[in-house]
Amino acid sequence: MSNARSVLVSVVGRDFADLNLAETAHQLDAQLRALDELNPKLADVVAAELTADGPVVIQGTGDTHFDSVAAAAVGVPLLFVAEQEKGAAELAVRHAKDVQATVAGVVTPDHLQDGEALARQINLNVEPVMSADLFQKQLIDQARAAGSHIVLPEGDDDRILEAAHVVLRDKVAKLTILGNEADIKARAEELKLDLAGAEIINHLESPLAEEFAADFAELRKKKGVTLEQARETMKDISYFATMMVHKGLADGMVSGAAHTTAHTIKPSFQIIKTKPNASVVSSIFLMVMRGRLWAFGDCAVNPNPTAEQLGEIAAVSAKTASQFGIDPRVAMLSYSSGTSGSGPDVERAVAAVEAAKQLDSSVKVDGPLQFDAACDPGVAKKKMPDSEVAGQANVFIFPDLEAGNIGYKTAQRTGGALAVGPILQGLNKPVNDLSRGATVPDIINTVAITAIQAGEK
């Protein structure tokens, strides 16, 4: 979450020249950060200013659309200055919200002279800003700091190569790409991509294949796997890449753009295996919305989890969410809040909460909770007044895969949420699966997430 004690000021239908923003900044005990011309790198400039002490008044460019996008990208509230609060100002506010900016308010030029009133108007204690652009910037910064090495097995997919170009350019992670080196380089040249920083391995010709086959045969000897069978298995890109992670030649793997989830994950179960005391591999989606960052689980792996598995999913999801800046408060979702309903599903939610607490006594978890009681303070006050989670939950555990899948896609398609994931959890080392419809930004985000997971030693 960003520094909400800064504000970007954008003027609606009027020139900045005759507005005394310097005096306004002085009255707010801050420096005016003036930008003399529309700067395509405004986001970087503003982000640098957010390291300053005290509130910062940032002068916009005069283009309300650009100012709105910039405010959303760097995570500062947006204050509009207009002759009146109706008309053009209303349109500017509506558009700003459409591009995921947080609007602190609309003031007239006369209000700029009253620093105390202006401070109340913009509310320097406004809730932290969150948007898709801001989250992705934070994700990339966090991944860059982790310095992880990720293997991408699907080197014959253009989307993977395009994403790799960005990952390498922005130093998000070190990369190994599997595939025919000549073909990958030729395709990269056709697409005008720079993959010079990537290691490219043809797994069918690599001397590592024999070493990996011997190791795999040893790992699976109780299952009757012979060395010859293991050699055949290592011709599969997912198995070869997973062995790279197992052997420490890569810190994590991202695959699935052109393969099924089972094809991506099955080798992990056989080679990397689950963490000690983990009985289930599960997933969360990070749901990025204007002003909030939530986690939904499990929406991708387990069709009908038991109470004990739900409890484990809740505890692990809290830990995963904390890796991405969420202070977890976990809601075990149900059609009932507390004792308002009854039945086997409600009893399962109650047992799941107890299971989560037994696994991790520090986790803040409550349930059963209906979704409105979990996220709406007003509803929570009526239904669950004594809960430390109700009304302020940010990690939501769905009772089964069907509900979870419907829930995250509803938020994504009708609520404008950016759904980042699925993020797999419970494995000894990070492996993440892509949708076969994944876009290039989806792949970049997943590589960044995997790099962050790998950095949590």
Side-chain angles (χ1 to χ4, degrees):
M1 297 291 185
S2 71
N3 180 0
R5 297 175 65 239
S6 302
V7 63
L8 193 154
V9 180
S10 182
V11 173
V12 180
R14 188 171 166 171
D15 197 324
F16 253 114
D18 60 346
L19 295 178
N20 194 348
L21 286 181
E23 179 62 23
T24 299
H26 175 72
Q27 291 175 350
L28 290 172
D29 192 29
Q31 275 185 287
L32 171 63
R33 311 300 185 177
L35 298 172
D36 296 329
E37 58 184 1
L38 190 148
N39 186 342
K41 295 185 178 179
L42 177 61
D44 292 336
V45 174
V46 176
E49 299 295 354
L50 297 184
T51 61
D53 293 330
V56 177
V57 177
I58 305 156
Q59 180 173 319
T61 64
D63 180 333
T64 56
H65 167 71
F66 184 85
D67 293 344
S68 298
V69 172
V74 298
V76 295
L78 183 64
L79 179 69
F80 287 110
V81 180
E83 293 288 356
Q84 54 184 350
E85 296 181 9
K86 303 293 184 181
E90 289 180 314
L91 293 174
V93 169
R94 188 181 308 163
H95 178 68
K97 291 180 178 180
D98 285 344
V99 298
Q100 304 295 299
T102 293
V103 179
V106 178
V107 297
T108 66
D110 291 341
H111 289 158
L112 292 175
Q113 308 310 313
D114 188 341
E116 184 178 347
L118 181 60
R120 288 197 302 269
Q121 172 71 31
I122 65 176
N123 185 6
L124 292 179
N125 293 317
V126 68
E127 289 185 6
V129 176
M130 177 51 67
S131 69
D133 287 339
L134 176 61
F135 174 77
Q136 287 173 311
K137 180 182 185 304
Q138 293 176 342
L139 196 67
I140 295 304
D141 288 345
Q142 195 176 348
R144 188 182 294 120
S148 301
H149 183 166
I150 306 301
V151 57
L152 304 175
E154 299 168 312
D156 56 353
D157 191 298
D158 285 353
R159 293 168 296 167
I160 295 293
L161 301 184
E162 289 169 11
H165 167 83
V166 176
V167 167
L168 294 167
R169 182 196 68 196
D170 296 345
K171 297 180 172 57
V172 178
K174 301 168 189 173
L175 293 180
T176 293
I177 303 172
L178 300 190
N180 183 285
E181 184 173 6
D183 291 346
I184 289 174
K185 288 183 175 179
R187 186 58 180 157
E189 187 174 349
E190 289 176 14
L191 296 173
K192 296 181 171 51
L193 305 175
D194 182 1
L195 302 181
E199 176 187 35
I200 300 174
I201 295 177
N202 185 339
H203 69 291
L204 296 175
E205 298 178 357
S206 171
L208 290 171
E210 185 64 24
E211 176 187 340
F212 288 176
D215 288 343
F216 184 72
E218 179 65 24
L219 285 170
R220 304 290 291 172
K221 66 181 180 181
K222 290 183 179 179
K223 298 294 184 180
V225 174
T226 66
L227 179 58
E228 190 57 39
Q229 289 172 329
R231 287 177 178 138
E232 283 299 309
T233 300
M234 285 306 114
K235 293 178 182 179
D236 184 296
I237 57 168
S238 289
Y239 277 93
F240 188 96
T242 303
M243 282 299 298
M244 286 189 66
V245 177
H246 174 65
K247 299 281 287 183
L249 300 176
D251 299 312
M253 180 182 90
V254 172
S255 189
H259 295 84
T260 65
T261 295
H263 185 264
T264 298
I265 298 177
K266 183 180 176 181
S268 304
F269 293 154
Q270 297 179 355
I271 298 170
I272 294 175
K273 302 181 180 178
T274 57
K275 290 181 178 179
N277 302 320
S279 67
V280 64
V281 172
S282 60
S283 72
I284 64 169
F285 279 87
L286 295 175
M287 306 300 293
V288 189
M289 293 159 278
R290 185 167 59 86
R292 64 186 64 180
L293 174 62
W294 285 347
F296 284 6
D298 173 9
C299 305
V301 181
N302 296 283
N304 293 292
T306 64
E308 291 72 21
Q309 288 173 332
L310 276 176
E312 183 175 327
I313 291 167
V316 174
S317 295
K319 187 173 294 185
T320 303
S322 68
Q323 291 181 292
F324 300 96
I326 296 175
D327 181 14
R329 294 181 294 277
V330 185
M332 197 70 67
L333 295 178
S334 173
Y335 58 79
S336 171
S337 290
T339 58
S340 68
S342 61
D345 291 337
V346 175
E347 293 169 4
R348 182 178 60 152
V350 172
V353 170
E354 291 306 311
K357 290 179 178 179
Q358 288 178 12
L359 286 171
D360 185 353
S361 60
S362 68
V363 67
K364 294 178 181 177
V365 57
D366 200 1
L369 288 171
Q370 293 164 293
F371 193 88
D372 57 353
C375 69
D376 187 313
V379 176
K381 188 175 182 180
K382 295 177 182 177
K383 294 186 174 183
M384 300 287 286
D386 299 324
S387 173
E388 66 174 347
V389 171
Q392 52 184 340
N394 49 23
V395 179
F396 300 84
I397 305 302
F398 290 83
D400 55 41
L401 181 58
E402 185 172 43
N405 187 272
I406 292 169
Y408 100 79
K409 288 186 176 178
T410 299
Q412 180 187 47
R413 298 298 180 180
T414 68
L418 171 68
V420 181
I423 302 170
L424 297 183
Q425 47 193 18
L427 291 168
N428 269 317
K429 294 184 179 181
V431 169
N432 281 308
D433 177 45
L434 297 165
S435 162
R436 277 171 284 177
T439 64
V440 172
D442 290 337
I443 298 168
I444 296 167
N445 285 343
T446 305
V447 169
I449 283 167
T450 309
I452 293 166
Q453 289 180 300
E456 295 282 335
K457 305 297 185 185

